[in-house]
Amino acid sequence: MTTTDHASSLSSDSSAVPAAPAALAAALDGPLVSTQWLADHLGAEGLVVLDATVVPAQGADGRPVYRTGLDRFTEEGHLPGSVFADLLESFSDPAARFPFTRPDADAFAAAAASVGVSAETTVVVYDAAVGQWASRLWYLFRAFGHDRVAVLDGGAVKWTAEGRPLDRGHSGVVTAAGDRSAVPLTAVERDGFWAGTADVAAIVDGSRTGTLVCGTPPRDFAARHIPGSVSAPAVRLVDRESNAVLPVDALRTIFADVLSAPGPIVSYCGAGIAAAADALALAVLGRTDVLLYDGSLSEWTADPDAPLASAA
């Protein structure tokens, strides 16, 4: 199946003069930008490209563990001029009980400054997977009040398959904190982005209206999920050949049961990562009533009395 380019209308003449910051932000038309759009705008004033890759692995006990993608970034290559954004440490709360717990506003602002993002920066995020890591960082930026952000459709996989250039080694980013002319990003956690365990429990027991959507792989969903959830695996939201997000009609089919159910929509997964890919796809479909259950199954299953369902 051939994937249409969601951001094709955003591409510009590659010979054009790079856009100024305000014009660049205005050129964002939704949560995705194409590889051509990014190629046309690389080097533009006010643009920061972030690699949010995390590498999943298996621990000695057989449980999943996560490793920084920095080695892959430096050794295997990254998009020209891009900066590595550490979702394990800087853009999460490493002291929290559950993995990938969102940081507080001050910590997020410091993390953003450390990768060169100021209040006037346009951010494009990508990863070397199916977009779930990029989606998580995209969601965090918006949740903390920065709307000048989009995900690179197809990520590093599509960029590389198209024969586009890569850099190796560490990036030479100048942090926003060190740029006296930059207006610092003031992070404020917005309402309407996050759901907690009590919110999810209320949907499960029927005391609150809402629809639960789960982004875990099909096998994991079959083994356990929160009762009443709809399965929308993050791995099935992209085209297998191009790695780009599926066309709108295909996304509508995947989310048919979600779109026809009452809102708000609460997305979750194992640790709040694949859930962000669901949130991104739903944003492509125009839904603005999506909340992310940050603790996801990591937090839900920590309570032995919390109900679980399975396909068995």
Side-chain angles (χ1 to χ4, degrees):
M1 176 174 56
T2 300
T3 301
T4 59
D5 191 341
H6 293 279
S8 60
S9 64
L10 300 181
S11 58
S12 62
D13 183 353
S14 59
S15 65
V17 176
L24 185 66
L28 294 181
D29 185 20
L32 296 171
V33 295
S34 70
T35 51
Q36 186 58 55
W37 186 98
L38 184 56
D40 291 344
H41 291 86
L42 277 179
E45 181 184 355
L47 175 66
V48 169
V49 181
L50 299 177
D51 184 330
T53 304
V54 174
V55 180
Q58 192 174 62
D61 59 0
R63 296 183 180 181
V65 295
Y66 302 98
R67 295 172 181 161
T68 176
L70 182 58
D71 288 344
R72 189 211 62 81
F73 178 88
T74 57
E75 297 170 9
E76 297 181 26
H78 52 271
L79 273 62
S82 61
V83 184
F84 182 72
D86 191 345
L87 270 178
L88 281 172
E89 297 287 338
S90 301
F91 286 95
S92 294
D93 180 358
R97 181 182 178 189
F98 304 109
F100 299 108
T101 297
R102 68 187 186 274
D104 63 25
D106 289 342
F108 180 84
S114 75
V115 293
V117 176
S118 68
E120 298 176 345
T121 302
T122 295
V123 182
V124 173
V125 193
Y126 75 93
D127 63 38
V130 296
Q132 73 274 33
W133 308 110
S135 297
R136 173 69 181 191
L137 192 50
W138 164 83
Y139 199 88
L140 285 170
F141 269 104
R142 294 171 59 250
F144 283 107
H146 192 78
D147 289 322
R148 296 182 174 191
V149 60
V151 171
L152 177 63
D153 197 9
V157 174
K158 190 171 189 290
W159 181 273
T160 304
E162 293 169 347
R164 300 184 188 273
L166 294 173
D167 286 347
R168 285 179 172 79
H170 293 278
S171 60
V173 63
V174 176
T175 68
D179 182 357
R180 294 183 179 180
S181 66
V183 178
L185 187 153
T186 302
V188 177
E189 188 167 306
R190 288 170 162 171
D191 293 332
F193 277 83
W194 305 103
T197 298
D199 302 311
V200 175
I203 293 174
V204 172
D205 68 24
S207 61
R208 176 177 174 179
T209 300
T211 299
L212 302 175
V213 58
C214 181
T216 60
R219 181 179 296 180
D220 293 348
F221 181 84
R224 64 174 190 174
H225 56 267
I226 300 173
S229 301
V230 177
S231 177
V235 293
R236 293 187 176 174
L237 302 178
V238 300
D239 181 85
R240 291 184 179 181
E241 295 182 3
S242 69
N243 204 50
V245 174
L246 293 172
V248 167
D249 287 348
L251 291 178
R252 286 199 184 103
T253 298
I254 292 173
F255 288 100
D257 291 339
V258 177
L259 298 175
S260 62
I265 300 167
V266 176
S267 64
Y268 74 94
C269 56
I273 303 299
D278 277 342
L280 176 72
L282 287 162
V284 170
L285 294 175
R287 292 299 294 255
T288 59
D289 59 341
V290 180
L291 308 173
L292 197 153
Y293 178 22
D294 201 30
S296 285
L297 285 171
S298 296
E299 184 171 352
W300 184 262
T301 58
D303 179 356
D305 296 325
L308 287 169
S310 70

